[in-house]
Amino acid sequence: MDKKITSVSELLKDMGIDDDARKGIDKEIENHILGKNLMILRMKNNLSQAEMAKKLGVSQPWISRIEYANNDQIKLGDLNKYISALGYETTLVISKPQNIAQKIKNTYNQLSALLTELQKYAVDDEAILQGIAKFELEATHNLFDLASALLESSSSKLKKIHPQQETQIILDDSIVESKKKNLAFA
């Protein structure tokens, strides 16, 4: 039975290439990942480089240069132009490093903002508003379930580190109840 190779690094290792050379090749591949992903998106849209160039109003060599460029050679404006031509949206997030709890909180806040925006579009459709409210309640409940599981996991780890201290976790459903009250049900 043939061995299944899942990465270039594995292939190189199978070929007997030493670790330093493999690391160098892996680094070079990583340095070109952005352009390669652009190429993959173009190909998934069944466009040749010439067709993509026509769509963007640039030359075919320009497409080739961006697809084979080092990551640090691709300008943000060119990236956005390329992505937009394929019907995708570019989002740039600049933030301070966050722990997982902060990321979860921010994700919940983003979800709430999107649901509020969605409610504006469904202002005259009570069925859609109820669906949005039900989804928001379910998402909030799932988030609290996740937070509870994470806290319980952390609590058991703390008990191992500090067995003399009794750790107690109290999950208050008042926030979920307040969300229920704030949702408009007909």
Side-chain angles (χ1 to χ4, degrees):
M1 180 180 215
D2 291 333
K3 180 181 175 183
K4 185 176 180 178
I5 308 268
T6 60
S7 71
V8 172
S9 191
E10 284 182 31
L11 175 64
L12 295 172
K13 186 175 183 176
D14 257 22
M15 294 171 62
I17 306 296
D18 68 83
D19 285 346
D20 289 339
R22 277 199 328 269
K23 287 177 186 174
I25 292 169
D26 285 343
K27 186 176 180 180
E28 191 62 26
I29 290 170
E30 184 64 32
N31 192 29
H32 288 83
I33 199 73
L34 185 55
K36 296 303 171 215
N37 282 325
L38 292 175
M39 182 189 302
I40 290 167
L41 285 175
R42 175 183 55 78
M43 294 171 80
K44 282 185 175 182
N45 281 272
N46 297 315
L47 293 171
S48 67
Q49 284 188 345
E51 292 167 326
M52 185 68 179
K54 185 176 180 181
K55 194 172 184 135
L56 283 168
V58 298
S59 66
Q60 179 275 325
W62 187 91
I63 299 297
S64 181
R65 274 193 303 277
I66 198 169
E67 289 181 352
Y68 288 94
N70 290 337
N71 293 343
D72 60 357
Q73 294 172 325
I74 299 174
K75 296 176 185 172
L76 191 54
D78 292 341
L79 175 65
N80 189 47
K81 182 178 180 178
Y82 191 106
I83 294 290
S84 296
L86 293 172
Y88 293 92
E89 188 177 276
T90 306
T91 304
L92 176 65
V93 177
I94 299 173
S95 67
K96 292 182 179 181
Q98 300 177 331
N99 63 36
I100 191 70
Q102 291 166 322
K103 288 178 183 178
I104 291 170
K105 181 180 176 182
N106 289 339
T107 300
Y108 176 76
N109 289 336
Q110 290 172 346
L111 178 61
S112 291
L114 289 170
L115 289 170
T116 300
E117 184 178 338
L118 186 59
Q119 287 173 343
K120 292 176 188 174
Y121 295 113
V123 73
D124 293 331
D125 191 327
E126 194 60 36
I128 292 176
L129 286 171
Q130 285 182 8
I132 293 168
K134 182 179 177 185
F135 175 80
E136 185 175 14
L137 183 62
E138 184 178 319
T140 301
H141 180 72
N142 289 340
L143 184 64
F144 279 113
D145 283 350
L146 174 63
S148 177
L150 290 171
L151 286 171
E152 288 174 16
S153 172
S154 296
S155 175
S156 65
K157 289 176 184 172
L158 283 174
K159 285 180 184 177
K160 289 178 185 174
I161 296 169
H162 304 287
Q164 72 280 6
Q165 296 176 349
E166 182 63 31
T167 306
Q168 185 178 19
I169 297 173
I170 301 170
L171 189 57
D172 187 2
D173 284 337
S174 65
I175 296 172
V176 174
E177 291 303 318
S178 113
K179 277 285 183 193
K180 285 181 185 178
K181 291 177 188 173
N182 290 334
L183 297 174
F185 286 103

